[in-house]
Amino acid sequence: MSFINIHQIQSALAQPSPDPGPVRDALARARTLQGLEPEQAALLSRVTDPQLLGELFAAARAVKETIYGKRLVLFAPLYISNRCQNECLYCGFRSANADMHRMSLSQEQIADEVRCLTAAGHKRLLLVAGEHAGPDSLSYILDAIATIYECREADREIRRVNVNIAPLETDEFRQLAASRIGTYQLFQETYHPQTYARMHPAGPKADYLRRLMTMHRAMQAGINDVGIGALFGLHDWRFELLALLQHARELEKTFGAGPHTISVPRLEPASGSALATHPPAAVSDDDFLKLIAILRLAVPYTGIILSTRETPEVRRAAFALGVSQISAGSRTTPGGYGHGDDENSGQFSLGDHRSLDEVIRDIAHLGYIPSFCTACYRLGRTGRDFMDLARPGAIKSHCDPNALATFQEYLDRFASEETRRTGRALIAQHLLALDSSVRSIARGLLERIAAGETDVYC
Ligand code: SAM
Ligand code: SF4
């Protein structure tokens, strides 16, 4: 049985534009970091008045600033296989796309890719693959995760592997949990059942309910950090937003912790997919920023992930409103870091082609601290334990020092001269803005980095 209450969403969306009073009540509640009731999120999604929209964005900025400060966590996707038995109409990897040059990387090729990424300074990867039985089955994925963690030399290592792979059964999720993954991510694509059926005509992914219940199986199997998402552009964005929030509430109710992250990919052109070039429910930049702002208000402690799919301009606006994690320097072709992206083997076109160093410099110019922190997951601060620390604000005394230390480590060992200069000035400035107790923790970690230590965290 689906826990998505379609009737409730549709009747909430059918209401007229809201009056200022209830909108301001919702914003006042969200500013106290208590999140939003479902009706309030629905109400905010219908706001069109420019004055009220300005107040909505201001509230989202305030919540973002209070909980996340200026930190932005960085990661890179690692595509290991583009073989797929599904027929998602929007994806270049879909099985009927005969022009796709199919490949699954060998463990040696995966290690080559990891070396490219660690040489650039990456510490966090998102492993991505199509859905394929046989050689791309779970054991291939588990081997790949082991390869990534084993591929370490001197100061170059991946410290957290998140995965975005097809749904598994509960006993398979137990094996995945044992492989030391960080977050297990899976996007419902669209929560609207009829649209889902049209978009997924063949393959195991055609089963809407099996996909919807995936995070229940993952959490039952002991995966504490899960990441949900919707692919924006397939159906009305407001419907997807409210359904995402129902999903988050359902996980919170059942497991005592909601999703660790919510991803907000927007449909991008993909080779061999007419649908991806002409999204059936395209989301404008303005609406996209509005949905990010409402998510930030509704689930203040849940990370929001924005991918390379977005242009630098949209990403900049989105950081201020709520995004807390971004990908940088990405390739969507298996083998793409070593050999470059290739239209006939990549998943979709990227909106941002800059290197990690360029993205970091840009972020630093905007006053954000790029973070490669992996401390919570390695110290077991996951799921409910993470939320118990995050809600009273206690996590901040860990996040700020860890972000600064990992940023300093990047600057000293991987950055270009120009990025290093910009970054060091930013760290000095940021230290001054911290509370004195947090500042002294941060100084302690920075001194250890300056003395030549790596991977320091609290
Ligand atoms: N195959 C697995 C699955 O579908 O869940 C995991 C990997 S799949 C490559 C990761 C995500 O890519 C999908 O969940 C979908 O949201 C996204 N995606 C597919 N085609 C896309 C496109 N044209 N533009 C943007 N994102 C796309
Ligand atoms: Fe396969 Fe995932 Fe692409 Fe669908 S979205 S075709 S399941 S890789």
Side-chain angles (χ1 to χ4, degrees), residues 258-306:
H260 187 64
T261 55
I262 295 182
S263 296
V264 291
R266 258 199 305 188
L267 206 53
E268 290 291 342
S271 74
S273 166
L275 189 126
T277 319
H278 304 286
V283 184
S284 68
D285 286 353
D286 287 349
D287 284 341
F288 189 58
L289 294 175
K290 186 168 150 189
L291 85 86
I292 289 172
I294 299 171
L295 272 180
R296 180 40 67 236
L297 295 171
V299 282
Y301 297 101
T302 302
I304 300 180
I305 304 181
L306 193 70

Side-chain angles (χ1 to χ4, degrees), residues 164-423:
N164 185 335
I165 57 164
L168 301 172
E169 295 307 319
T170 311
D171 54 335
E172 295 173 317
F173 271 127
R174 285 200 190 92
Q175 297 179 57
L176 191 63
S179 72
R180 298 196 295 127
I181 61 157
T183 309
Y184 171 71
Q185 288 187 4
L186 188 81
F187 311 151
Q188 185 63 24
E189 319 297 11
T190 171
Y191 286 88
H192 188 257
Q194 289 80 10
T195 308
Y196 188 94
R198 275 203 310 281
M199 296 297 149
H200 306 99
K205 191 163 166 181
D207 188 340
Y208 172 95
L209 266 185
R210 177 170 184 267
R211 193 162 180 97
L212 188 66
M213 297 309 290
T214 301
M215 293 316 187
H216 286 67
R217 295 194 297 279
M219 292 184 92
Q220 270 155 14
I223 294 182
N224 292 331
D225 286 349
V226 299
I228 60 174
L231 181 55
F232 286 93
L234 299 179
H235 187 68
D236 182 348
W237 66 267
R238 295 169 311 157
F239 183 97
E240 308 295 11
L241 168 74
L242 300 184
L244 274 169
L245 293 175
Q246 286 191 354
H247 197 169
R249 267 174 109 85
E250 163 73 16
L251 295 177
E252 169 112 42
K253 192 176 83 192
T254 313
F255 299 100
H260 187 64
T261 55
I262 295 182
S263 296
V264 291
R266 258 199 305 188
L267 206 53
E268 290 291 342
S271 74
S273 166
L275 189 126
T277 319
H278 304 286
V283 184
S284 68
D285 286 353
D286 287 349
D287 284 341
F288 189 58
L289 294 175
K290 186 168 150 189
L291 85 86
I292 289 172
I294 299 171
L295 272 180
R296 180 40 67 236
L297 295 171
V299 282
Y301 297 101
T302 302
I304 300 180
I305 304 181
L306 193 70
S307 75
T308 308
R309 298 168 177 94
E310 296 302 333
T311 59
E313 293 71 32
V314 169
R315 288 174 12 136
R316 279 188 203 120
F319 300 160
L321 291 171
V323 164
S324 55
Q325 296 190 23
I326 58 164
S327 54
S330 309
R331 302 279 178 274
T332 67
T333 303
Y337 293 107
H339 303 288
D341 256 346
D342 162 9
E343 203 200 326
N344 287 329
S345 40
Q347 191 196 8
F348 49 75
S349 321
L350 297 172
D352 185 342
H353 301 272
R354 297 170 302 165
S355 68
L356 176 62
D357 191 71
E358 288 170 308
V359 172
I360 286 194
R361 191 160 61 241
D362 182 36
I363 291 172
H365 276 306
L366 294 171
Y368 290 96
I369 301 283
S371 171
F372 295 92
C373 178
T374 53
C376 280
Y377 137 81
R378 289 156 86 206
L379 293 172
R381 295 193 297 248
T382 57
R384 200 177 185 156
D385 293 344
F386 171 80
M387 288 298 171
D388 288 348
L389 267 175
R391 287 211 174 92
I395 198 73
K396 279 190 86 171
S397 60
H398 299 279
C399 298
D400 276 323
N402 289 336
L404 290 172
T406 54
F407 184 30
Q408 181 74 60
E409 187 182 338
Y410 171 83
L411 292 174
D412 289 355
R413 290 159 191 271
F414 302 98
S416 64
E417 195 44 50
E418 194 186 342
T419 303
R420 191 171 300 143
R421 251 197 328 274
T422 310

Side-chain angles (χ1 to χ4, degrees), residues 151-163:
C151 196
R152 45 198 306 164
E153 19 181 306
D155 53 359
R156 298 173 179 194
E157 59 177 353
I158 294 302
R159 299 174 184 160
R160 176 174 176 137
V161 181
N162 298 330
V163 296

